Amino acid sequence: MEHTPAPYGPRAVYGYAMYIGANMVFLLYAIWAMVPDEVLHDYFGLTYWPSKYWAIAIPIWALTALATFAFLIYPAINMSITPDIDDIRTVTDKYALQRTETIPGGIPAVSDIPITEVCRELYLRKQ
């Protein structure tokens, strides 16, 4: 079968099952977090539930881990795989399109602008 993002039978069934499952898990979490232990014990007969501390601690820990990853670890990984500023890969690569000669007054072909020309235009003073 061809890989496609379009919906098809099994994907629709699994997606619907995950949707229902996620809603049920969230509903159970909300009941456990908000309903007092006495009510859970007296009306539902449930005698053991984890401490309510975990209803707050787990989401906070998860968000802290996500923020640490997003603001520290992910940028550090990207910076570690980025070539140095004086590396030749920073200037050009094997896919660079070299500038070709054009007819005077014509539209130039698509090409990469050399870094020397970019620096000349941006940073050197006009005379």
Side-chain angles (χ1 to χ4, degrees), residues 85 90-92 112-123:
I85 193 69
T90 307
V91 178
T92 187
D112 292 323
I113 303 172
I115 193 69
T116 54
E117 187 176 330
V118 171
C119 290
R120 189 178 305 116
E121 287 292 321
L122 291 177
Y123 304 117

Side-chain angles (χ1 to χ4, degrees), residues 37-46:
D37 287 335
E38 295 80 24
V39 174
L40 292 174
H41 178 63
D42 293 341
Y43 292 107
F44 298 111
L46 301 170

Side-chain angles (χ1 to χ4, degrees), residues 3-107:
H3 293 288
T4 174
Y8 63 98
R11 183 177 293 165
V13 171
Y14 292 143
Y16 182 71
M18 286 180 20
Y19 173 76
I20 297 297
N23 283 328
M24 292 303 297
V25 167
F26 178 73
L27 181 66
L28 286 173
Y29 168 77
I31 290 171
W32 166 61
M34 295 180 201
V35 175
D37 287 335
E38 295 80 24
V39 174
L40 292 174
H41 178 63
D42 293 341
Y43 292 107
F44 298 111
L46 301 170
T47 57
Y48 176 76
W49 283 90
S51 172
K52 301 284 183 172
Y53 164 81
W54 296 108
I56 300 296
I58 290 175
I60 289 175
W61 285 2
L63 290 176
T64 303
L66 179 67
T68 301
F69 179 79
F71 294 112
L72 296 176
I73 297 171
Y74 188 69
I77 291 170
N78 283 335
M79 289 179 71
S80 69
I81 63 173
T82 302
D84 290 332
I85 193 69
D86 57 350
D87 192 339
I88 190 64
R89 292 174 295 169
T90 307
V91 178
T92 187
D93 62 0
K94 63 182 179 180
Y95 301 106
L97 299 173
Q98 300 300 323
R99 184 174 287 189
T100 58
E101 293 296 323
T102 60
I103 300 171
I107 299 173

